[in-house]
Each structure stands twice: as C-alpha cells, then as structure tokens.
Amino acid sequence: MSDNHMLFSVCSVAAERVFPLRSKVLLEGNAESCRFRHDENDSTLHLAVYRSDRIVAVATICRESLPGSASDAEWRLRGVAVEARLRGYGLGRLLTKLCLDHAQNEGGRLAWCTARESARGFYETLGFASCAPPFQLPSRPDVLFHEMHCVLPVEAASKAG
Ligand SMILES: CC(C)(COP(=O)(O)OP(=O)(O)OC[C@H]1O[C@@H](n2cnc3c(N)ncnc32)[C@H](O)[C@@H]1OP(=O)(O)O)[C@@H](O)C(=O)NCCC(=O)NCCS
C-alpha cells in the first residue's frame, strides 16, 4: 500500500514496540497500564504497521481462555489501535485478520475481545458477535464494553486428519 509515496509494511514486533501507540490511542496516554498480562508469552503475537520508520497501527493476540473457561483453544485479541489520521484504510482489518490467522494456526478455535462500544461495528465486520449485555470496567467507567466472540474455522487439513 502506498500513500503520498510512503510505503507501509507489516511485521511481527517485540511487545515494547506496540506500547507507545497502544497507550496513546487506547489508554489516554497512560504508559503505566499499557502492559497486558500475556504480552511476553512466547505464543503471543504483536503486529505493527510501519509507515516508513514509524509505527502507525498495532494489534496483539494471545492465548487466553474466556473468563470462567479452561480451554487452551481460546485466544484474546487486544490493543488494536490505528493512528487517527490513518483510520478507514483497512489497517485495523488487516492486523486483526493476521492475528486471527495466527491463533488459528496455533490451534485456536475461538477468538474473543473486549470491545469498546465505539469499535463494536468494526469487530462485527470481522465476524465477531456480542454474546452478553455490555458492561463497564472499574478502570474505565466512561466507556461501555462488549465481550465479543469469533469462531475460528477449522483448517481442511486438520479436519481430514
Ligand atoms: C477501531 C479501529 C481499530 C478500526 O481500524 P481502521 O483501520 O480504521 O478500520 P478498517 O479501515 O480496517 O475498517 C474495517 C471495516 O470496519 C469498519 N469500521 C471501522 N471502524 C469502525 C467503527 N468504529 N465502527 C463501525 N465500523 C467500523 C470499516 O468501515 C470497514 O468496513 P468494511 O469492511 O465494510 O469496509 C480504529 O478506528 C481505532 O484505532 N480506533 C480507536 C481505538 C479503538 O477503539 N480500538 C479498538 C479497541 S476495542
């Protein structure tokens, strides 16, 4: 993809690389709460879109079962954030799809996320559905969240055997 002759590239990055944009876009600049529980796990994938040498979009997926579940086939999508002036160009969708591919390749059967109300439609376009009434988090009483699930397709090869 190019825009004003600037190239975009997507790569897997270390956790620290996603923290600045995660914190700026999702946590109102609060750098202290930008680390999530499974960020450093070997199976966790952090993706970043670079525009030239600057990160303009990030997303993370980690193996994490749903609250109350013990399944190791559940993956949590977290920290999907696109710089404001580059929204609407498909970067969020691209990163989310790559995250879902990763979970699926690792044997994931379900992806879930805690979506803020303003992003619910975005996740719906990617196959996620709300599965319970919305709720608020003590840390963000100003925002309504939805737990959303997306069933990951079983690969034909694993179906066969
Ligand atoms: C939500 C966000 C990640 C979407 O990223 P994006 O790159 O702008 O989205 P895309 O261009 O990939 O859009 C993919 C599809 O979702 C739709 N979409 C994007 N944002 C949407 C929104 N907020 N509400 C409803 N639909 C939305 C697009 O229209 C597009 O639909 P299409 O497939 O029919 O064309 C981005 O707006 C963002 O960073 N927002 C602030 C942070 C945030 O809320 N993150 C999610 C945390 S739960």
Side-chain angles (χ1 to χ4, degrees):
M1 187 196 320
S2 73
D3 176 34
N4 292 336
H5 310 292
M6 298 291 279
L7 289 179
F8 290 80
S9 58
V10 184
C11 35
S12 156
V13 295
E16 309 82 71
R17 298 264 176 192
V18 306
F19 293 161
L21 195 62
R22 186 190 276 182
S23 133
K24 178 179 155 190
V25 172
L26 295 168
L27 302 163
E28 298 176 321
N30 181 350
E32 277 161 28
S33 55
C34 73
R35 287 170 191 274
F36 298 152
R37 185 145 57 109
H38 301 292
D39 272 342
E40 306 293 342
N41 291 5
D42 288 345
S43 58
T44 295
L45 177 69
H46 301 282
L47 289 174
V49 174
Y50 280 83
R51 185 188 194 194
S52 189
D53 60 353
R54 224 160 57 79
I55 290 180
V56 295
V58 293
T60 294
I61 195 157
C62 58
R63 193 191 297 275
E64 181 176 334
S65 52
L66 284 161
S69 161
S71 168
D72 66 355
E74 292 163 356
W75 287 69
R76 184 173 184 182
L77 180 67
R78 301 203 78 174
V80 184
V82 178
E83 211 169 73
R85 66 201 168 82
L86 290 172
R87 289 178 195 158
Y89 290 102
L91 298 180
R93 173 174 38 212
L94 175 67
L95 291 186
T96 301
K97 283 195 163 189
L98 291 171
C99 282
L100 298 181
D101 284 351
H102 172 74
Q104 193 184 343
N105 291 338
E106 294 289 318
R109 292 289 167 261
L110 183 111
W112 64 283
C113 66
T114 305
R116 51 194 69 199
E117 172 65 26
S118 58
R120 180 154 66 118
F122 165 71
Y123 290 107
E124 283 172 347
T125 70
L126 285 151
F128 285 80
S130 272
C131 51
F135 59 94
Q136 284 165 307
L137 294 171
S139 56
R140 290 302 300 266
D142 54 323
V143 181
L144 210 50
F145 289 94
H146 298 262
E147 184 180 299
M148 300 187 77
H149 297 181
C150 173
V151 175
L152 300 173
V154 179
E155 287 288 350
S158 36
K159 267 195 222 153

